[in-house]
Amino acid sequence: MMIPFKEKFCSIKQYMRCMPQPWGFKVWVRAGISGMMLDFVYQRSVNTGVRVKSELGLSGDVVMRLVSILPKGQNYKVYADNYFTSVPLVVKLLEQEIHYAGTARQVRLPNCNLDEKILKKGRGSFDYRVEGKHICAVKWHDNRAVTLVSSFAEPEPVQKIQRWNKATKTYTDVERPYIVGTYNKYMGGLDLLDSFTAKYKFALKSQRWYTYIFWHTITLAVVNAWLLYKQHYQSPKVPNKEIMNMRKFQAPHYLSFWWI
């Protein structure tokens, strides 16, 4: 997550070209499927003359810090993109009885030779490898090839989904491994959180960089409160029309904060 900040004279400001807000403070966030923020940390790689390189790297260390407060043996599942996924990380999480699923880069899967010839059969084709009884890697071809790794999900049962066929101008059935469907279903909580924080953003201008972090923290707290409010009142007894939207819920909190 990026906390937007464009002013000068700040040594911890970073640039991320792939983000909607490329300039700002990068924090690592663990979010639920509903978009609720559960935990966050600030961590950067340190460039020093003598550096002890971690076995998991920066991305793996961040994941381990974010899940460090989770109790063991509760069947927690972590979903992440290919920046974080590596076999040592999946093994480390399994030692703490935490499962993992995520997209992966092929260079981070040593000695895992997924057959490219099978993928040439067309959309819906896939190949997979299983290490021991725990870690499964699947390469599936949709519009392009994508690789996923999981410690609990496998290709079976294969699901049927519909994709638009440009040649025939109709929808056709395509096979999709179970691991892909699970990842698509539960991945995306952080994107929801980013959209919530940016939807009704409070206009703030200051040359003090810590002010932006403070206000962003307040915004995250309000978003979490609104999501808890929705969960509490979403029941058959309460019509959706009576549940406040985010704009109505957020406005009184900002006004009361200013008066305080």
Side-chain angles (χ1 to χ4, degrees):
M1 172 180 284
M2 293 295 289
I3 302 176
F5 181 75
K6 294 183 179 180
E7 302 297 330
K8 299 180 180 179
F9 310 113
C10 182
S11 60
I12 64 174
K13 181 178 66 175
Q14 294 178 259
Y15 176 77
M16 297 287 292
R17 64 178 182 177
C18 59
M19 302 294 288
Q21 299 290 340
W23 284 104
F25 311 112
K26 182 172 68 174
V27 293
W28 309 95
V29 178
R30 176 166 59 88
I33 186 175
S34 65
M36 183 176 297
M37 188 195 70
L38 306 175
D39 196 4
F40 72 96
V41 297
Y42 175 81
Q43 182 169 332
R44 292 180 65 179
S45 57
V46 181
N47 297 320
T48 58
V50 179
R51 179 186 171 188
V52 179
K53 189 174 181 179
S54 170
E55 177 188 359
L56 301 177
L58 173 63
S59 59
D61 290 341
V62 166
V63 175
M64 296 307 297
R65 284 190 63 184
L66 288 172
V67 302
S68 59
I69 63 173
L70 295 179
K72 296 181 180 180
Q74 299 297 319
N75 198 32
Y76 282 105
K77 296 179 176 65
V78 177
Y79 299 84
D81 60 22
N82 58 22
Y83 176 77
F84 302 93
T85 305
S86 66
V87 175
L89 173 62
V90 179
V91 173
K92 199 76 173 178
L93 289 172
L94 276 176
E95 293 175 358
Q96 299 189 12
E97 301 179 9
I98 298 175
H99 297 288
Y100 183 92
T103 54
R105 302 173 184 176
Q106 190 63 43
V107 294
R108 291 189 177 181
L109 302 176
N111 304 322
C112 181
N113 300 318
L114 296 167
D115 195 350
E116 296 287 345
K117 295 181 181 179
I118 297 178
L119 301 182
K120 291 182 180 179
K121 294 180 180 179
R123 178 180 284 182
S125 57
F126 65 91
D127 189 27
Y128 70 96
R129 296 289 185 274
V130 178
E131 180 182 351
K133 297 181 180 179
H134 303 290
I135 302 176
C136 178
V138 179
K139 195 165 189 177
W140 177 60
H141 181 73
D142 189 16
N143 292 325
R144 59 182 180 85
V146 59
T147 305
L148 296 98
V149 174
S150 177
S151 58
F152 69 93
E154 297 181 353
E156 302 293 339
V158 177
Q159 304 165 338
K160 293 286 187 178
I161 59 173
Q162 288 192 334
R163 289 288 188 268
W164 178 256
N165 192 322
K166 293 183 179 179
T168 61
K169 304 295 183 180
T170 57
Y171 286 97
T172 58
D173 290 336
V174 174
E175 290 187 343
R176 183 181 67 180
Y178 172 75
I179 182 177
V180 181
T182 301
Y183 177 81
N184 291 341
K185 181 178 180 180
Y186 294 103
M187 181 66 176
L190 185 56
D191 295 332
L192 268 178
L193 178 60
D194 284 335
S195 66
F196 290 150
T197 56
K199 197 169 185 180
Y200 303 113
K201 199 170 182 180
F202 186 83
L204 175 67
K205 290 186 178 181
S206 175
Q207 294 184 350
R208 299 179 177 88
W209 60 269
Y210 50 84
T211 307
Y212 288 82
I213 298 178
F214 172 76
W215 271 109
H216 196 79
T217 305
I218 296 296
T219 302
L220 290 173
V222 173
V223 170
N224 274 8
W226 176 67
L227 291 173
L228 286 172
Y229 160 79
K230 283 186 63 180
Q231 291 178 9
H232 180 72
Y233 283 99
Q234 278 181 345
S235 64
K237 298 180 180 180
V238 181
N240 291 332
K241 295 181 179 179
E242 297 183 7
I243 300 176
M244 287 190 293
N245 58 28
M246 187 177 174
R247 184 179 181 86
K248 292 181 179 180
F249 183 88
Q250 179 174 309
H253 289 74
Y254 277 116
L255 291 175
S256 61
F257 181 82
W258 272 110
W259 279 109
I260 293 173

